[in-house]
Amino acid sequence: MSDGSAKQAVTLIGLGPMGRAMGKALLAAGHPVTVWGRTRSRADGLVREGAVFAASAAEAVAASEAVLLSLTDYQAMYDVLKDVPSLEGKAVVNLSSGTPAEAREGAAWAAGRGGRFLSGGVMSPPPGIGSAEVSTFYSGDEEVADRLRGVLEVLTAVDYRGADPGLSQAYYQVQLGLFWTTMTGFLHALALSEAEGIPVETITPYLIGANDMAAFFEGTARQVREGDFAGDEDRMAMGAASIEHVVHTSRDAGVDADLPAAVSAIFRRGLGAGLQDESFAALITLMRPARG
Ligand code: NDP
């Protein structure tokens, strides 16, 4: 037995793959853990390892000051907590994905019920939980972040970004936008490769090693920072032609071309805006919010 009595009690609501990984890590670190989830059977493993399954969300909330939520989205927080009479004295840490606006609304909603609120965006799949090598963006009530640091650091490293509860989700969604578009591009590359008779295992090392993406990111970020879009090395007209070749190669091979076609449409808007001699990075001028 670990010295559970010395460790802060934690309530964990939401027992998908992420919630279960968090529960496991908290139990392994010796925290008394109360869990609740809509689907009781998902708690079985954690209960076997020592977690207590509460009879209701309200009982789960009553069990600990620290209430961690790992739910599909922010709506689920309301669904789960709406019948909890009060959040007085509770530190609600919502580790579910949502928009910055949803996190701000969630914080205000929790405050209206007497609760303190921290939002979090977890930058790791479940197997990374329990490692300090991955981190979570947090924002909101700083005192909660400090008081629960011992609990939160069991899950991942803590990256507190500021008092605005929307900030964690802003950092998170920015990262996830890059992640999903990149991963979808990767899947398209594999489908095209297969269709051209190149096995996945043959192409994968090329895809991993072909481009130094860190260098591309740094170079592009510098151009954006400095507002310098001189097309000395890459002209928009070249990029537009290049992605069009990917569209045609995909269609010729019978592979879904929606993704490169969407990218091509952005390049064409760049050409339409007269950016043909600027660099690729000038496309950001089409992506920024319109100034009123
Ligand atoms: P899941 O969607 O698989 O599970 C989340 C839990 O939310 C489930 O236990 C589900 O209950 C519960 N839930 C959803 N809607 C409701 C509702 N209306 N009322 C009650 N309970 C509800 O997500 P994950 O566990 O994979 O992830 C949790 C959060 O972490 C998500 O916001 C996700 O974006 C984020 N995340 C996930 C990562 C991953 O790789 N999995 C990586 C980084 C972040 P039930 O079991 O009954 O379906």
Side-chain angles (χ1 to χ4, degrees), residues 189-198 249-250 253-255:
L190 295 185
L192 184 54
S193 180
E194 274 181 348
E196 288 291 346
I198 308 165
T249 304
S250 304
V255 168

Side-chain angles (χ1 to χ4, degrees), residues 15-18 38-39 42 70-72 79-80 97 122 124 126 172:
L15 302 172
M18 184 57 87
R38 186 175 57 177
T39 306
R42 292 203 218 285
S70 176
L71 298 159
T72 306
D79 293 346
V80 166
S97 171
V122 183
S124 168
Y172 180 74

Side-chain angles (χ1 to χ4, degrees), residues 22 68-69 92-96 117-123 129 134-142 144-146 148-149 151-169 171-172:
M22 290 177 169
L68 310 191
L69 307 178
V92 177
V93 183
N94 195 340
L95 295 152
S96 317
F117 188 86
L118 194 63
S119 66
V122 183
M123 292 306 302
I129 299 302
V134 296
S135 64
T136 299
F137 294 121
Y138 288 100
S139 71
D141 193 319
E142 190 167 10
V144 168
D146 287 343
L148 298 192
R149 191 163 277 267
V151 170
L152 303 180
E153 281 182 346
V154 169
L155 308 178
T156 68
V158 173
D159 191 353
Y160 179 78
R161 303 310 307 166
D164 170 2
L167 264 181
S168 71
Q169 296 308 301
Y171 275 91
Y172 180 74

Side-chain angles (χ1 to χ4, degrees), residues 25-285:
L26 289 164
L27 288 167
H31 289 273
V33 178
T34 301
V35 297
W36 184 83
R38 186 175 57 177
T39 306
R40 168 69 176 84
S41 58
R42 292 203 218 285
D44 289 349
L46 292 176
V47 169
R48 269 197 302 276
E49 290 173 43
V52 173
F53 189 85
S56 65
E59 279 192 23
V61 169
S64 329
E65 177 203 350
V67 178
L68 310 191
L69 307 178
S70 176
L71 298 159
T72 306
D73 53 25
Y74 264 71
Q75 183 53 47
M77 174 179 84
Y78 301 115
D79 293 346
V80 166
L81 295 184
K82 69 180 184 318
D83 296 327
V84 174
S86 164
L87 295 175
E88 205 64 52
K90 302 297 171 185
V92 177
V93 183
N94 195 340
L95 295 152
S96 317
S97 171
T99 67
E102 286 173 331
R104 290 179 193 118
E105 280 162 29
W109 182 84
R113 303 178 141 231
R116 305 183 74 163
F117 188 86
L118 194 63
S119 66
V122 183
M123 292 306 302
S124 168
I129 299 302
S131 160
E133 310 230 315
V134 296
S135 64
T136 299
F137 294 121
Y138 288 100
S139 71
D141 193 319
E142 190 167 10
E143 221 179 285
V144 168
D146 287 343
R147 222 179 32 252
L148 298 192
R149 191 163 277 267
V151 170
L152 303 180
E153 281 182 346
V154 169
L155 308 178
T156 68
V158 173
D159 191 353
Y160 179 78
R161 303 310 307 166
D164 170 2
L167 264 181
S168 71
Q169 296 308 301
Y171 275 91
Y172 180 74
Q173 300 307 348
V174 165
Q175 296 266 14
L176 267 284
L178 178 62
F179 177 77
W180 287 122
T181 49
T182 305
M183 290 308 293
T184 311
F186 183 67
L187 274 188
H188 175 267
L190 295 185
L192 184 54
S193 180
E194 274 181 348
E196 288 291 346
I198 308 165
V200 167
E201 60 272 25
T202 304
I203 200 70
T204 299
Y206 287 96
L207 296 174
I208 292 169
N211 297 311
D212 180 351
M213 293 313 289
F216 278 112
F217 288 170
E218 275 165 14
T220 302
R222 183 187 50 72
Q223 290 184 50
V224 168
R225 258 193 340 265
E226 295 173 1
D228 173 7
F229 302 125
D232 301 338
E233 292 179 11
D234 72 292
R235 290 174 58 240
M236 185 88 62
M238 176 282 289
S242 169
I243 189 66
E244 206 45 33
H245 301 157
V246 180
V247 172
H248 289 303
T249 304
S250 304
R251 287 190 182 138
D252 289 350
V255 168
D256 187 292
D258 278 3
L259 181 64
V263 177
S264 175
I266 299 172
F267 270 95
R268 281 204 306 278
R269 279 170 50 214
L271 298 184
L275 302 176
Q276 63 278 356
D277 292 322
E278 311 271 291
S279 70
F280 158 78
L283 285 178
I284 195 166
T285 60

